[in-house]
Amino acid sequence: MSAKRNLTVAVIFGGRSVEHDVSVVTGHQIMRAFPAERYEVVPVYITRDGRWLTGAPLLDLNSFKQDITTLNGIESVVLSPSTQHHGFIMKPLAGRFQRSTVKRIDVLFPAIHGSHGEDGTLQGLFEMADIPYVGCGVLSSALANDKIMTKQLMRQAGVAVLDDVWFTRA
């Protein structure tokens, strides 16, 4: 009888939004909640400038007191939108004597707050890659993140909402 393999869960945190630091803490709270005997947790950190990184140092919140990108064990990663990969391409820009590999992921757990994460953008990428994920889908994430549209939809559904005034940046 073969041993059952642990589910591989990628927790994605950080990001390009102003809520970056809160997302890092949220990601660590989520990662600590998974029992190691049942899950392989893969940390995926998105830097403030949009680079995707993984590696064991990302599991330690204290690592973020320094420049995380300079630590040994940190490597670049990208989520492949191709359904043939079903996961992350490790070392996507491998050099002449290096080789990219694929890390298969069973489920994605986004822990990114704000834009470029909670707004349906990540969920769309997850759907393109055909990898299951935790949380709301693309449309509900996008609508809930757009407060003006949320209020308009609530009013159309007969839900009482407070009066408001909205305007665009222009």
Side-chain angles (χ1 to χ4, degrees):
M1 189 169 170
S2 66
K4 188 175 178 183
R5 140 182 119 69
N6 289 349
L7 280 178
T8 304
V9 179
V11 177
I12 303 174
F13 59 95
R16 294 172 31 208
S17 86
V18 296
E19 299 176 74
H20 177 95
D21 294 334
V22 174
S23 174
V24 171
V25 173
T26 301
H28 279 87
Q29 291 170 336
I30 292 166
M31 290 187 291
R32 282 195 311 269
F34 283 102
E37 64 275 3
R38 292 182 46 207
Y39 299 94
E40 176 189 358
V41 176
V42 177
V44 178
Y45 170 64
I46 301 177
T47 65
R48 292 179 193 277
D49 63 354
R51 291 177 290 151
W52 291 42
L53 306 171
T54 193
L58 297 175
L59 293 167
D60 183 1
L61 190 55
N62 289 320
S63 295
F64 289 85
K65 292 178 180 176
Q66 56 195 305
D67 181 3
I68 197 82
T69 64
T70 63
L71 296 178
N72 285 336
I74 298 294
E75 61 183 299
S76 293
V77 64
V78 295
L79 178 62
S80 173
S82 172
T83 58
Q84 77 181 39
H85 294 126
H86 207 80
F88 289 96
I89 299 174
M90 314 293 280
K91 299 179 186 166
L93 302 174
R96 181 176 291 209
F97 299 109
Q98 295 177 330
R99 188 172 178 177
S100 295
T101 59
V102 174
K103 175 68 175 173
R104 188 167 174 76
I105 301 296
D106 295 311
V107 66
L108 296 157
F109 199 128
I112 297 205
H113 300 291
S115 56
H116 309 295
E118 244 180 343
D119 59 359
T121 54
L122 272 180
Q123 293 82 352
L125 178 59
F126 300 162
E127 297 223 359
M128 285 181 64
D130 199 27
I131 302 174
Y133 58 93
V134 174
C136 298
V138 177
L139 181 60
S140 57
S141 295
L143 289 173
N145 202 59
D146 184 329
K147 305 312 181 230
I148 296 165
M149 187 58 72
T150 298
K151 282 191 164 201
Q152 289 176 0
L153 289 171
M154 293 292 113
R155 284 187 184 103
Q156 287 177 5
V159 176
V161 296
L162 293 174
D163 289 337
D164 59 274
V165 175
W166 63 269
F167 47 89
T168 65
R169 193 176 295 229

